[in-house]
mmCIF file of all heavy atoms in Angstrom:
data_model
loop_
_atom_site.group_PDB
_atom_site.id
_atom_site.type_symbol
_atom_site.label_atom_id
_atom_site.label_comp_id
_atom_site.label_asym_id
_atom_site.label_seq_id
_atom_site.Cartn_x
_atom_site.Cartn_y
_atom_site.Cartn_z
ATOM 1 N N GLU A 134 -144.681 -51.173 134.355
ATOM 2 C CA GLU A 134 -145.759 -50.347 133.786
ATOM 3 C C GLU A 134 -146.722 -51.317 133.139
ATOM 4 O O GLU A 134 -146.415 -51.889 132.095
ATOM 5 C CB GLU A 134 -145.209 -49.481 132.652
ATOM 6 C CG GLU A 134 -144.584 -48.197 133.043
ATOM 7 C CD GLU A 134 -144.078 -47.439 131.798
ATOM 8 O OE1 GLU A 134 -144.353 -47.836 130.657
ATOM 9 O OE2 GLU A 134 -143.388 -46.458 132.020
ATOM 10 N N GLU A 136 -149.965 -52.312 131.146
ATOM 11 C CA GLU A 136 -151.109 -51.952 130.315
ATOM 12 C C GLU A 136 -152.103 -53.104 130.404
ATOM 13 O O GLU A 136 -151.706 -54.273 130.460
ATOM 14 C CB GLU A 136 -150.668 -51.740 128.864
ATOM 15 C CG GLU A 136 -149.770 -50.519 128.719
ATOM 16 C CD GLU A 136 -149.161 -50.359 127.332
ATOM 17 O OE1 GLU A 136 -148.999 -51.373 126.615
ATOM 18 O OE2 GLU A 136 -148.822 -49.226 126.973
ATOM 19 N N PHE A 156 -155.066 -41.414 125.658
ATOM 20 C CA PHE A 156 -154.950 -40.440 126.761
ATOM 21 C C PHE A 156 -156.178 -39.526 126.862
ATOM 22 O O PHE A 156 -156.133 -38.477 127.501
ATOM 23 C CB PHE A 156 -153.689 -39.558 126.642
ATOM 24 C CG PHE A 156 -152.398 -40.318 126.474
ATOM 25 C CD1 PHE A 156 -151.362 -39.793 125.713
ATOM 26 C CD2 PHE A 156 -152.212 -41.542 127.086
ATOM 27 C CE1 PHE A 156 -150.162 -40.486 125.563
ATOM 28 C CE2 PHE A 156 -151.021 -42.239 126.941
ATOM 29 C CZ PHE A 156 -149.998 -41.718 126.169
ATOM 30 N N TYR A 186 -153.429 -43.701 133.188
ATOM 31 C CA TYR A 186 -154.124 -43.065 132.074
ATOM 32 C C TYR A 186 -154.808 -44.094 131.185
ATOM 33 O O TYR A 186 -154.533 -45.286 131.265
ATOM 34 C CB TYR A 186 -153.227 -42.160 131.224
ATOM 35 C CG TYR A 186 -151.822 -42.649 130.983
ATOM 36 C CD1 TYR A 186 -151.541 -43.512 129.937
ATOM 37 C CD2 TYR A 186 -150.776 -42.214 131.790
ATOM 38 C CE1 TYR A 186 -150.240 -43.943 129.706
ATOM 39 C CE2 TYR A 186 -149.475 -42.640 131.564
ATOM 40 C CZ TYR A 186 -149.218 -43.509 130.522
ATOM 41 O OH TYR A 186 -147.938 -43.929 130.302
ATOM 42 N N GLU A 188 -155.014 -45.659 127.857
ATOM 43 C CA GLU A 188 -154.022 -45.819 126.778
ATOM 44 C C GLU A 188 -154.713 -45.855 125.415
ATOM 45 O O GLU A 188 -155.944 -45.753 125.314
ATOM 46 C CB GLU A 188 -153.219 -47.112 127.026
ATOM 47 C CG GLU A 188 -151.768 -46.864 127.445
ATOM 48 C CD GLU A 188 -150.857 -46.514 126.272
ATOM 49 O OE1 GLU A 188 -151.360 -46.334 125.147
ATOM 50 O OE2 GLU A 188 -149.626 -46.426 126.488
ATOM 51 N N LEU A 189 -153.892 -46.042 124.397
ATOM 52 C CA LEU A 189 -154.341 -45.988 123.005
ATOM 53 C C LEU A 189 -155.510 -46.928 122.675
ATOM 54 O O LEU A 189 -156.495 -46.534 122.068
ATOM 55 C CB LEU A 189 -153.138 -46.320 122.100
ATOM 56 C CG LEU A 189 -153.441 -46.538 120.620
ATOM 57 C CD1 LEU A 189 -153.803 -45.218 119.948
ATOM 58 C CD2 LEU A 189 -152.229 -47.154 119.912
ATOM 59 N N GLY A 190 -155.385 -48.185 123.066
ATOM 60 C CA GLY A 190 -156.357 -49.194 122.625
ATOM 61 C C GLY A 190 -157.729 -48.974 123.248
ATOM 62 O O GLY A 190 -157.860 -48.351 124.296
ATOM 63 N N GLN A 193 -158.283 -49.802 126.853
ATOM 64 C CA GLN A 193 -156.931 -50.020 127.407
ATOM 65 C C GLN A 193 -156.587 -48.982 128.472
ATOM 66 O O GLN A 193 -156.824 -47.782 128.284
ATOM 67 C CB GLN A 193 -155.878 -49.987 126.291
ATOM 68 C CG GLN A 193 -154.530 -50.549 126.743
ATOM 69 C CD GLN A 193 -153.493 -50.568 125.622
ATOM 70 O OE1 GLN A 193 -153.540 -49.735 124.722
ATOM 71 N NE2 GLN A 193 -152.578 -51.518 125.688
ATOM 72 N N GLU A 195 -153.535 -47.927 131.639
ATOM 73 C CA GLU A 195 -152.140 -48.154 132.047
ATOM 74 C C GLU A 195 -151.920 -47.606 133.444
ATOM 75 O O GLU A 195 -152.343 -46.489 133.758
ATOM 76 C CB GLU A 195 -151.168 -47.475 131.078
ATOM 77 C CG GLU A 195 -149.722 -47.618 131.555
ATOM 78 C CD GLU A 195 -148.671 -47.262 130.512
ATOM 79 O OE1 GLU A 195 -148.968 -47.366 129.306
ATOM 80 O OE2 GLU A 195 -147.564 -46.884 130.921
ATOM 81 N N PRO A 232 -151.222 -60.141 126.442
ATOM 82 C CA PRO A 232 -150.398 -59.273 125.580
ATOM 83 C C PRO A 232 -151.148 -58.728 124.368
ATOM 84 O O PRO A 232 -150.924 -57.594 123.968
ATOM 85 C CB PRO A 232 -149.261 -60.197 125.144
ATOM 86 C CG PRO A 232 -149.228 -61.295 126.156
ATOM 87 C CD PRO A 232 -150.610 -61.447 126.705
ATOM 88 N N LYS A 233 -152.031 -59.518 123.790
ATOM 89 C CA LYS A 233 -152.791 -59.029 122.634
ATOM 90 C C LYS A 233 -154.239 -59.467 122.843
ATOM 91 O O LYS A 233 -154.671 -60.515 122.359
ATOM 92 C CB LYS A 233 -152.203 -59.620 121.347
ATOM 93 C CG LYS A 233 -152.709 -58.970 120.085
ATOM 94 C CD LYS A 233 -152.075 -57.616 119.823
ATOM 95 C CE LYS A 233 -152.421 -57.145 118.407
ATOM 96 N NZ LYS A 233 -151.835 -55.838 118.111
ATOM 97 N N ALA A 239 -154.719 -52.578 120.245
ATOM 98 C CA ALA A 239 -153.339 -52.393 120.724
ATOM 99 C C ALA A 239 -152.946 -53.515 121.683
ATOM 100 O O ALA A 239 -153.796 -54.101 122.358
ATOM 101 C CB ALA A 239 -153.234 -51.047 121.437
ATOM 102 N N GLY A 240 -151.645 -53.785 121.750
ATOM 103 C CA GLY A 240 -151.154 -54.802 122.672
ATOM 104 C C GLY A 240 -150.936 -54.237 124.067
ATOM 105 O O GLY A 240 -150.786 -53.027 124.251
ATOM 106 N N ASN A 241 -150.931 -55.132 125.045
ATOM 107 C CA ASN A 241 -150.660 -54.755 126.428
ATOM 108 C C ASN A 241 -149.213 -55.091 126.780
ATOM 109 O O ASN A 241 -148.849 -56.270 126.886
ATOM 110 C CB ASN A 241 -151.578 -55.520 127.390
ATOM 111 C CG ASN A 241 -153.018 -55.022 127.349
ATOM 112 O OD1 ASN A 241 -153.262 -53.814 127.221
ATOM 113 N ND2 ASN A 241 -153.963 -55.937 127.470
ATOM 114 N N GLY A 242 -148.400 -54.064 126.972
ATOM 115 C CA GLY A 242 -147.033 -54.288 127.425
ATOM 116 C C GLY A 242 -146.975 -54.333 128.944
ATOM 117 O O GLY A 242 -147.881 -53.853 129.641
ATOM 118 N N GLY A 243 -145.918 -54.908 129.449
ATOM 119 C CA GLY A 243 -145.627 -54.856 130.888
ATOM 120 C C GLY A 243 -144.176 -54.408 131.001
ATOM 121 O O GLY A 243 -143.300 -55.175 131.400
ATOM 122 N N HIS A 244 -143.945 -53.167 130.565
ATOM 123 C CA HIS A 244 -142.567 -52.666 130.468
ATOM 124 C C HIS A 244 -141.917 -52.626 131.848
ATOM 125 O O HIS A 244 -142.580 -52.307 132.838
ATOM 126 C CB HIS A 244 -142.550 -51.247 129.877
ATOM 127 C CG HIS A 244 -143.329 -51.120 128.598
ATOM 128 N ND1 HIS A 244 -143.728 -49.912 128.083
ATOM 129 C CD2 HIS A 244 -143.783 -52.056 127.729
ATOM 130 C CE1 HIS A 244 -144.382 -50.108 126.952
ATOM 131 N NE2 HIS A 244 -144.448 -51.396 126.719
ATOM 132 N N ARG A 297 -148.244 -59.332 119.873
ATOM 133 C CA ARG A 297 -147.957 -57.969 120.361
ATOM 134 C C ARG A 297 -146.628 -57.459 119.800
ATOM 135 O O ARG A 297 -146.553 -56.315 119.358
ATOM 136 C CB ARG A 297 -147.916 -57.962 121.905
ATOM 137 C CG ARG A 297 -147.316 -56.706 122.459
ATOM 138 C CD ARG A 297 -147.226 -56.650 123.986
ATOM 139 N NE ARG A 297 -146.382 -55.543 124.330
ATOM 140 C CZ ARG A 297 -145.123 -55.630 124.749
ATOM 141 N NH1 ARG A 297 -144.557 -56.812 124.967
ATOM 142 N NH2 ARG A 297 -144.409 -54.556 124.981
ATOM 143 N N ILE A 298 -145.577 -58.308 119.868
ATOM 144 C CA ILE A 298 -144.240 -57.847 119.439
ATOM 145 C C ILE A 298 -144.155 -57.903 117.918
ATOM 146 O O ILE A 298 -143.652 -58.865 117.347
ATOM 147 C CB ILE A 298 -143.123 -58.665 120.116
ATOM 148 C CG1 ILE A 298 -143.214 -58.471 121.632
ATOM 149 C CG2 ILE A 298 -141.743 -58.207 119.602
ATOM 150 C CD1 ILE A 298 -142.079 -59.072 122.408
ATOM 151 N N TYR A 302 -145.813 -51.194 116.384
ATOM 152 C CA TYR A 302 -146.859 -51.159 117.414
ATOM 153 C C TYR A 302 -146.297 -50.669 118.753
ATOM 154 O O TYR A 302 -146.860 -50.906 119.794
ATOM 155 C CB TYR A 302 -147.526 -52.528 117.573
ATOM 156 C CG TYR A 302 -148.668 -52.750 116.603
ATOM 157 C CD1 TYR A 302 -148.431 -53.090 115.285
ATOM 158 C CD2 TYR A 302 -149.993 -52.578 117.009
ATOM 159 C CE1 TYR A 302 -149.464 -53.274 114.384
ATOM 160 C CE2 TYR A 302 -151.044 -52.767 116.127
ATOM 161 C CZ TYR A 302 -150.771 -53.104 114.812
ATOM 162 O OH TYR A 302 -151.813 -53.280 113.923
ATOM 163 N N TRP A 303 -145.128 -50.050 118.701
ATOM 164 C CA TRP A 303 -144.492 -49.461 119.880
ATOM 165 C C TRP A 303 -144.151 -50.495 120.956
ATOM 166 O O TRP A 303 -144.069 -50.161 122.138
ATOM 167 C CB TRP A 303 -145.351 -48.324 120.476
ATOM 168 C CG TRP A 303 -145.454 -47.132 119.584
ATOM 169 C CD1 TRP A 303 -145.398 -47.111 118.223
ATOM 170 C CD2 TRP A 303 -145.594 -45.759 119.981
ATOM 171 N NE1 TRP A 303 -145.507 -45.832 117.750
ATOM 172 C CE2 TRP A 303 -145.642 -44.974 118.807
ATOM 173 C CE3 TRP A 303 -145.696 -45.124 121.219
ATOM 174 C CZ2 TRP A 303 -145.778 -43.599 118.829
ATOM 175 C CZ3 TRP A 303 -145.850 -43.738 121.245
ATOM 176 C CH2 TRP A 303 -145.886 -42.989 120.070
ATOM 177 N N ALA A 304 -143.986 -51.732 120.530
ATOM 178 C CA ALA A 304 -143.602 -52.759 121.497
ATOM 179 C C ALA A 304 -142.110 -53.080 121.359
ATOM 180 O O ALA A 304 -141.541 -53.725 122.234
ATOM 181 C CB ALA A 304 -144.437 -54.014 121.278
ATOM 182 N N GLY A 305 -141.476 -52.624 120.256
ATOM 183 C CA GLY A 305 -140.051 -52.911 120.033
ATOM 184 C C GLY A 305 -139.881 -54.287 119.423
ATOM 185 O O GLY A 305 -140.033 -55.291 120.109
ATOM 186 N N ARG A 315 -139.549 -45.300 121.259
ATOM 187 C CA ARG A 315 -140.570 -46.260 121.680
ATOM 188 C C ARG A 315 -140.715 -47.436 120.712
ATOM 189 O O ARG A 315 -141.571 -48.288 120.904
ATOM 190 C CB ARG A 315 -141.894 -45.543 121.925
ATOM 191 C CG ARG A 315 -141.863 -44.697 123.189
ATOM 192 C CD ARG A 315 -143.225 -44.092 123.516
ATOM 193 N NE ARG A 315 -143.302 -43.613 124.891
ATOM 194 C CZ ARG A 315 -142.781 -42.482 125.340
ATOM 195 N NH1 ARG A 315 -142.120 -41.693 124.525
ATOM 196 N NH2 ARG A 315 -142.918 -42.121 126.608
ATOM 197 N N GLU A 316 -139.906 -47.465 119.670
ATOM 198 C CA GLU A 316 -139.827 -48.673 118.832
ATOM 199 C C GLU A 316 -138.565 -49.484 119.166
ATOM 200 O O GLU A 316 -138.257 -50.447 118.474
ATOM 201 C CB GLU A 316 -139.865 -48.322 117.341
ATOM 202 C CG GLU A 316 -141.277 -48.097 116.786
ATOM 203 C CD GLU A 316 -142.149 -49.360 116.719
ATOM 204 O OE1 GLU A 316 -141.624 -50.477 116.778
ATOM 205 O OE2 GLU A 316 -143.379 -49.210 116.623
ATOM 206 N N ARG A 320 -135.326 -48.917 125.816
ATOM 207 C CA ARG A 320 -135.441 -47.472 125.642
ATOM 208 C C ARG A 320 -134.785 -46.790 126.827
ATOM 209 O O ARG A 320 -135.041 -47.151 127.980
ATOM 210 C CB ARG A 320 -136.923 -47.080 125.593
ATOM 211 C CG ARG A 320 -137.172 -45.570 125.603
ATOM 212 C CD ARG A 320 -138.657 -45.248 125.411
ATOM 213 N NE ARG A 320 -139.460 -45.519 126.608
ATOM 214 C CZ ARG A 320 -139.991 -44.580 127.392
ATOM 215 N NH1 ARG A 320 -139.813 -43.304 127.125
ATOM 216 N NH2 ARG A 320 -140.713 -44.921 128.455
ATOM 217 N N GLU A 336 -135.543 -48.920 130.042
ATOM 218 C CA GLU A 336 -136.830 -49.620 130.034
ATOM 219 C C GLU A 336 -136.753 -50.811 129.089
ATOM 220 O O GLU A 336 -136.340 -50.659 127.934
ATOM 221 C CB GLU A 336 -137.919 -48.662 129.551
ATOM 222 C CG GLU A 336 -139.279 -49.307 129.356
ATOM 223 C CD GLU A 336 -140.257 -48.400 128.607
ATOM 224 O OE1 GLU A 336 -139.859 -47.814 127.581
ATOM 225 O OE2 GLU A 336 -141.397 -48.274 129.045
ATOM 226 N N LYS A 338 -138.938 -53.007 126.984
ATOM 227 C CA LYS A 338 -140.312 -53.054 126.465
ATOM 228 C C LYS A 338 -140.715 -54.471 126.064
ATOM 229 O O LYS A 338 -141.905 -54.762 125.931
ATOM 230 C CB LYS A 338 -140.448 -52.131 125.252
ATOM 231 C CG LYS A 338 -140.440 -50.650 125.624
ATOM 232 C CD LYS A 338 -140.488 -49.754 124.400
ATOM 233 C CE LYS A 338 -141.869 -49.592 123.829
ATOM 234 N NZ LYS A 338 -142.636 -48.489 124.394
ATOM 235 N N ALA A 339 -139.711 -55.328 125.832
ATOM 236 C CA ALA A 339 -140.000 -56.695 125.386
ATOM 237 C C ALA A 339 -140.413 -57.556 126.571
ATOM 238 O O ALA A 339 -139.812 -58.596 126.858
ATOM 239 C CB ALA A 339 -138.785 -57.276 124.681
ATOM 240 N N CYS A 340 -141.413 -57.086 127.283
ATOM 241 C CA CYS A 340 -141.891 -57.795 128.474
ATOM 242 C C CYS A 340 -143.394 -57.578 128.544
ATOM 243 O O CYS A 340 -143.882 -56.496 128.209
ATOM 244 C CB CYS A 340 -141.204 -57.220 129.718
ATOM 245 S SG CYS A 340 -141.596 -58.097 131.250
ATOM 246 N N ASP A 341 -144.113 -58.603 128.957
ATOM 247 C CA ASP A 341 -145.561 -58.453 129.141
ATOM 248 C C ASP A 341 -145.994 -59.251 130.358
ATOM 249 O O ASP A 341 -145.219 -60.037 130.909
ATOM 250 C CB ASP A 341 -146.325 -58.862 127.865
ATOM 251 C CG ASP A 341 -146.197 -60.349 127.539
ATOM 252 O OD1 ASP A 341 -146.564 -61.178 128.400
ATOM 253 O OD2 ASP A 341 -145.729 -60.684 126.435
HETATM 254 N N1 LIG B 1 -148.846 -50.824 123.920
HETATM 255 C C1 LIG B 1 -147.457 -50.794 123.607
HETATM 256 C C2 LIG B 1 -146.861 -52.163 123.921
HETATM 257 O O1 LIG B 1 -147.406 -53.125 123.521
HETATM 258 C C3 LIG B 1 -146.699 -49.699 124.350
HETATM 259 C C4 LIG B 1 -147.160 -48.302 124.089
HETATM 260 C C5 LIG B 1 -146.315 -47.350 124.936
HETATM 261 O O2 LIG B 1 -146.650 -47.143 126.093
HETATM 262 O O3 LIG B 1 -145.277 -46.917 124.462
HETATM 263 O O4 LIG B 1 -145.849 -52.293 124.540
#
Side-chain angles (χ1 to χ4, degrees):
E134 275 180 8
E136 293 173 334
F156 307 147
Y186 39 86
E188 250 281 7
L189 171 71
Q193 194 178 29
E195 176 167 334
K233 192 76 169 180
N241 287 322
H244 309 163
R297 166 181 168 256
I298 298 187
Y302 274 78
W303 293 29
R315 288 186 164 78
E316 278 291 342
R320 172 174 74 108
E336 174 192 46
K338 287 176 80 89
C340 185
D341 66 58

